[in-house]
Amino acid sequence: MTTIRRFCCDDLLRFASVNLDHLTETFNMSFYMTYLARWPDYFHVAEGPGKRIMGYIMGKVEGQGESWHGHVTAVTVAPEYRRQQVAKKLMNLLEENSDKIDKAYFVDLFVRASNTPAIKMYEKLGYVIYRRVLRYYSGEEDALDMRKALSRDVEKKSVIPLKRPITPEELEYD
Amino acid sequence: MASKFGLAGGIPERRVRPIWDAIDSRQFKNALKLVSSLLGKYPNSPYIISLKALVLERMGKSDEALSVCLSAKEQLHSNDSALMDDLTLSTLQIVFQRLGHSDLATSCYEHAAAKFPNNLDLMMGLFNCYVRESSFVKQQQTAIKMYKIASEERFLLWAVCSIQLQVLFGNGGEKLLLLAEGLLKKHVATHGLHEPEALMVYISLLEQQDKFGHALEILSGNLGSLLMVEVDKLRIQGRLLARTGDYKAAADVYEKILESCPDDWECLQHYLDCLLEDDPTWGSEPIENRIDAIKCADCRLSPLTDEVFDSRITRASTFVHKLQENLGNDIVRCPYLANLEIERRKHLYGKGDEQKLMEDLIQYFFRFGHLACFTSDVEVFVQVLSSDKKVELFKKLMECSSTISQVPAKALGLSITIFKFQQFLGNMYGLTVGGLEDLAVKMVEMFCMNLPLSKDLDPQESMHGEELLTMACNVLIQLFWRTQYFGFILDAIMVLEFGLTIRRHVWQYKILLMHLYSHLGAISLAYDWYKSLEVKNILLETVSHNILPQMLGSPLWMDLNTLLRDYLKFMDDHFKESADLTFLAYRHRNYSKAIEFVQFKERLQNSNQYLLARIESAILQLKQNAGNVDEVECILENLKYGMHFVELSNEIGSKSLTFNEDLESRPWWTPTPEENYLLGPVGEISHFPKDNLMKKREANTRTLIEKKALLPRMISLSIQSASVSFKDGVEVNGSVSNPNVSSEMKLLLEHYAKILGYHLSDALGVLGEVCRGLISTEVFGVDMIDWVNLAVFSSAWKLNSHEFDLQEREARKFGSWHDVDTLLKRCILERLKFLSNPISLHSTDFQTLVRLITEPLSWRVLLIQCYVRTSVPSGKKKKKSASADPSVLTLSSVVHDSIRSLCGTFEEAMRWLRNQNRKLEYEEENLEGTFLSMRSEVQKGRPGRVFQILETLCSSGSKELGDRISGALESWDPDNLVRKIVSGQRAVFSETLSICESKCRTLNALKQKISQI
Ligand SMILES: CC(C)(COP(=O)(O)OP(=O)(O)OC[C@H]1O[C@@H](n2cnc3c(N)ncnc32)[C@H](O)[C@@H]1OP(=O)(O)O)[C@@H](O)C(=O)NCCC(=O)NCCS
């Protein structure tokens, strides 16, 4: 029961029940609005009957040359709508945009190393752990940098895992 | 920063770079040194001057920064050879904006753009300035100029958006839109369009003028290929077709969409709208309004004949059936829920078949009953049923749930759905106390029994059956409401705290606890849970209503201050940065977002909560500093003596207010911040009162803002009045020294009284009667604080307006010096009598006491400080002459009496507060006592049964729960919890006590001063 459409500012006033979840970060306004202003096609919301917000995804597309890629900044689904493929649909849409419209090479994302449910989901959706980023979250927790190759990366070069973990300073993009 | 030639603002880049590096690394002193030495070399470079201003501003030297900025501006204007590039101007702009003088930056850009009319960079900068000022007309003009210079698509669209904004904000109509359309048409003819967003703007522009057919032509023409995602295009097409009235074609389009997105519920609704030729509202109408529509008896929304209607319904059913058959899995719900929607539409048409709807509901239950969203999915459809049918449906669902044999997690899901459904139907209200109790017991038992299901779950994941505890809490509070046994609240708290002991992330529990602790007066515990939710950024606007109102009435000023400060900072920051983000959207050619951002800012600026918080934060500052007149005057000066707030009060009636709070998360007993059923008798509460509640809320809020916004000004005027009247009034032989203060004050008092529903003189009459004990303070009702404020301020006014005569103690109605003190005492005493037992103490009643002490009583003490300050001169010489004056002597004895009376009033309050605190020390008299009895013997219909279930689970120490859960159970410590609640309650009393003590100290110091006369 998902109508997926572009996220708009008014949704910020309606997503409390999704964002009160402890794993879902509520960013500052300029963060959301920068994404909306620059990558509105990477920011989607899934609505159910009665226009209830079930979940949303925000992301962007960036990089140079063969590292031109889609990036998932956040994806979250309200507890009562979990395990109904909502996240999967949102992820698929972002992947399709990256693949078909922006012709990116891969999609990547960061996830807390302790967030097992999310990691399991990403794996199920075809993402592999590309590398570990040490103390990425507030200088404490490690992040896993996960990737999925798109059709343009014919040889799947972008997803060959790195051998060693890296530090946040070594990241190409923030 | 660097331009093509290695120059920045006309200065070699390598010389400027070190300054920027110093600024970036926050070494401002070093930056200042560098910039000053560079300025020696280029004394007239506006860029370097601007950089200096920037550094100064960062160092916090605002005044210096402003004057340097102004000299840069001067250079730009006067020196013809001065370099005017965007880098210089944007640097200047940053500083001007941070100093609150964006208008000066705009004038710099205007000057530069006029001088170099073909410089696009400068024009864009100017456009950005106008975006900051929301000058849509000037935006439009600037964009058109740029378009003329470069004939770029984006500039044209900037102009079109600026036009749309003018129309959206009510300035300009069809003609402007026509102009925009003309411009676009011409451009398309010569250049075509290249961006999907541009096409979207074009279409929206046509839609804004109801030119749907024209929009359709564009969409199906060449330009249509700009939309890369086929479904997106179909959606627009469907909408446009429907709006042209070509419902048949629109329905065909929607069928196509549904075939590729069978789970798209919104699309399905549009599909049915088209088939039935309902005047579709295209998603703008909230579903609740549609429910209302059902209620009106003969609403035939569809203009179709019976036959056509039937055939369309058949078509819909067939189509939906086909969708169902094509589905591979059982996750997609839309085509099944569609059956229900079709039945509902038939009902709307007057051809409903309740039996069929019931059957469909049951089918849906069979398929999706175990899902957490089942109840919310079907809410609208159940509303269609008559009450008898609802009961019948509920029975049937119960039967079904027992026949569906399921894996344990699904079975649990079904049971939860049954409970939830029951709560949704409002069946709880029909149950007996015993029935309710059994229900709560069942829910908690079920939660405990199913804990093993969650033993292997990751701690990050929601546990199975978490909702059961939320529902049990709801039932327990219902029980409290019915029986008034406080133990039931305690039971509810135990259930939720228990749940949080097992998994500490359940925000639903935390919100319920916040409300329960607030109700018990243990506000600090409520605030602790609020903090643990980490509410920040936009959630401050939507979630903080769960705590803010309670905090406003509490003596926990530090926490309240943090709460208000964080919230206001968030909002104000957004207002500051919003324009730059809007410009970002323009720059990235996401035009529709630019418009959206402007509207969103407007929405937040009109937020009722924001307006109130601004006033409350001013009042809080005044309260906190009421012991020191100088401080208060300083604060008032920063508040422009309350003038802005008076303006707000005057215009609030015509202002459009927004209500952005997310009320869904609130518990049933307090659906809005103003409403708390637990304070009233048990009665009918209708289950869908939202519409009415919201209307009431809006009206109340307007009044509240109108009233509160007058306070700072009244305080300011009263201080002025009290500061002149005794001294000057006496010296110049009673002549009124400041007639303006007096007449303005009179207007405000009249306004204030009018909000309370009275003419000023009648209101004073009422106050007089209460004061003389002819009627009780109960006449004030919920407006007690406002009435007493009125008394305090009107007495200050009378002092100045010359209607008050020191000799004449028999003031006609009310307002003699003495009257106010009597009234204050009476109010406090009656309050204290009312608040007898701390356990059954309603926090809102206590809040009124706190507010009496911290508002009217404090203002009174503040004003007395003013009188004394002016009438007891500090110099020695003056003191002599003053003591010789007989009228000052009379005065000092009057003030002396007043101080004694107020001290007495505070003493009473303090005695009561100490007494309450003492009582809370003894187990028998506090919640611990209630708790002990809940533990020992549990009777039916009495609190404690639910708690016992938790105890049993903990003591059984079951192995099958896994390490994590058993570990959590071991740490469960209900005794400690009860002690925490009691100390939370005591904290509030202690805090209030210390406020009273400080007031008494102030008064005693004043007494000393007077006695020197
Ligand atoms: C992670 C999250 C987004 C998943 O949302 P969802 O809508 O429930 O996920 P989906 O139903 O689309 O899951 C797709 C597949 O991922 C896997 N998956 C999802 N959640 C899982 C879980 N908790 N455990 C194991 N696998 C899981 C499953 O294989 C699932 O398919 P299946 O149900 O057919 O087995 C959701 O749990 C959430 O919002 N968590 C909190 C926020 C968060 O952690 N976000 C990620 C960090 S940015």
Side-chain angles (χ1 to χ4, degrees), chain B residues 246-483:
Chain B
D246 190 349
Y247 294 116
K248 185 174 170 318
D252 291 343
V253 169
Y254 283 121
E255 283 193 356
K256 253 195 235 163
I257 302 174
L258 283 166
E259 273 158 9
S260 64
C261 316
D263 208 17
D264 190 329
W265 180 244
E266 196 186 11
C267 179
L268 185 109
Q269 303 246 355
H270 292 336
Y271 171 59
L272 294 178
D273 286 340
C274 289
L275 279 184
L276 306 179
E277 302 183 18
D278 274 359
D279 184 32
T281 39
W282 306 108
S284 60
E285 193 83 341
I287 209 97
E288 294 92 281
N289 293 5
R290 291 175 169 234
I291 298 170
D292 277 354
I294 304 171
K295 284 173 192 152
C296 68
D298 57 346
C299 53
R300 293 191 150 207
L301 293 181
S302 167
L304 304 179
T305 63
D306 276 9
E307 263 161 54
V308 177
F309 183 85
D310 290 342
S311 79
R312 299 279 169 85
I313 287 287
T314 313
R315 173 173 164 186
S317 301
T318 318
F319 177 69
V320 163
H321 191 71
K322 204 176 79 194
L323 284 182
Q324 291 169 3
E325 281 182 337
N326 291 343
L327 290 178
N329 58 29
D330 52 0
I331 287 181
V332 178
R333 310 189 319 277
C334 173
Y336 297 97
L337 199 63
N339 286 339
L340 300 175
E341 180 67 10
I342 291 174
E343 277 312 311
R344 193 178 74 98
R345 299 288 178 123
K346 280 160 67 182
H347 178 86
L348 284 177
Y349 189 75
K351 289 192 149 196
D353 177 348
E354 284 200 315
Q355 204 54 41
K356 173 82 172 40
L357 181 56
M358 288 245 291
E359 275 159 28
D360 287 346
L361 275 163
I362 291 166
Q363 282 309 314
Y364 194 73
F365 180 76
F366 269 114
R367 208 174 275 274
F368 301 112
H370 60 284
L371 295 180
C373 54
F374 172 84
T375 310
S376 63
D377 279 358
V378 301
E379 268 176 17
V380 228
F381 309 107
V382 178
Q383 287 303 321
V384 172
L385 297 175
S386 63
S387 1
D388 289 350
K389 285 282 174 196
K390 283 183 194 161
V391 177
E392 191 182 327
L393 173 67
F394 178 64
K395 283 201 187 117
K396 288 217 166 119
L397 293 188
M398 294 252 282
E399 283 162 23
C400 295
S401 70
S402 54
T403 63
I404 313 175
S405 64
Q406 293 277 8
V407 280
K410 275 196 173 179
L412 176 63
L414 279 176
S415 312
I416 292 175
T417 295
I418 294 284
F419 286 136
K420 229 201 270 183
F421 200 74
Q422 190 173 12
Q423 290 200 344
F424 161 70
L425 287 183
N427 276 8
M428 292 197 312
Y429 302 103
L431 289 180
T432 59
V433 166
L436 279 175
E437 205 190 356
D438 291 341
L439 197 60
V441 166
K442 250 198 271 174
M443 288 168 174
V444 177
E445 272 174 354
M446 190 178 286
F447 176 82
C448 294
M449 248 165 50
N450 282 286
L451 270 177
L453 285 181
S454 306
K455 78 171 190 228
D456 295 326
L457 280 187
D458 193 277
Q460 310 278 10
E461 279 197 82
S462 311
M463 300 206 316
H464 295 285
E466 267 175 10
E467 283 167 290
L468 285 166
L469 299 191
T470 314
M471 290 190 284
C473 164
N474 285 337
V475 176
L476 287 164
I477 297 305
Q478 175 84 214
L479 273 168
F480 160 71
W481 197 30
R482 296 262 196 95
T483 63

Side-chain angles (χ1 to χ4, degrees), chain A residues 21 23-24 73-77 81-88 110-111 115 117-118 120-122 124, chain B residues 461:
Chain A
D21 181 280
L23 284 174
T24 305
T73 304
V75 56
T76 174
V77 173
Y81 297 106
R82 287 194 185 153
R83 297 309 282 266
Q84 293 178 39
Q85 316 270 298
V86 176
K88 180 176 164 185
F110 294 112
V111 57
N115 191 350
K120 276 191 203 149
M121 173 186 76
Y122 294 134
K124 173 85 183 252
Chain B
E461 279 197 82

